[in-house]
Amino acid sequence: MKLKPDPVLSHILTDPSLELFKKLYSKNFIFSRMLLIRSVEEALVKASSDKLIRGPLHSYVGQELVASAVLYHSQSSDLMTSTHRGHGHYLAKGCSLTCLLDELAGL
């Protein structure tokens, strides 16, 4: 049995204003993640220089767009791995800021 496409749904999915909404939403979402990552990274750099974080800190400042854009297109069930600059990836994925700070503080 072949299903006929729903004309109302077809119109909604092809509506140019919806495409504009999707583009604006994705840009806003990506930009907000970039701002979050930058502000957290700058705070971490300061905390590291004030000796509040033990060990080396490899900042993600300047690379925010990479994680934000790539992980915007990932699924919540997707797994990821990272290297020594993983804070940005972690935050872009939407993981807990509290858990990240606890980890860096050694709690």
Side-chain angles (χ1 to χ4, degrees):
M1 178 174 144
K2 188 173 180 181
L3 297 175
K4 293 181 181 178
D6 181 355
V8 174
L9 184 59
S10 296
H11 174 71
I12 291 171
L13 294 176
T14 59
D15 184 2
S17 61
L18 182 62
E19 286 303 312
L20 177 61
F21 173 76
K22 287 181 196 175
K23 287 178 184 176
L24 292 174
Y25 175 79
S26 66
K27 288 178 182 177
N28 184 43
F29 183 87
I30 292 169
F31 186 68
S32 66
R33 289 292 167 142
M34 289 172 59
L35 290 177
L36 170 69
I37 295 167
R38 173 63 66 99
S39 60
V40 168
E41 287 297 313
E42 287 176 346
L44 290 176
V45 167
K46 179 162 179 15
S48 181
S49 68
D50 292 343
K51 305 290 186 218
L52 298 174
I53 297 175
R54 289 182 273 154
L57 177 78
H58 301 281
S59 174
Y60 201 72
V61 170
Q63 302 173 45
E64 299 88 355
L65 178 60
V66 176
S68 300
V70 169
L71 291 171
Y72 170 76
H73 295 285
S74 69
Q75 303 296 316
S76 61
S77 61
D78 288 346
L79 300 176
M80 74 174 187
T81 184
S82 188
T83 60
H84 60 285
R85 285 189 169 86
H87 315 135
H89 303 137
Y90 184 84
L91 293 171
K93 179 92 169 142
C95 299
S96 168
L97 176 58
T98 304
C99 290
L100 173 65
L101 297 176
D102 287 349
E103 176 73 21
L104 291 171
L107 300 176

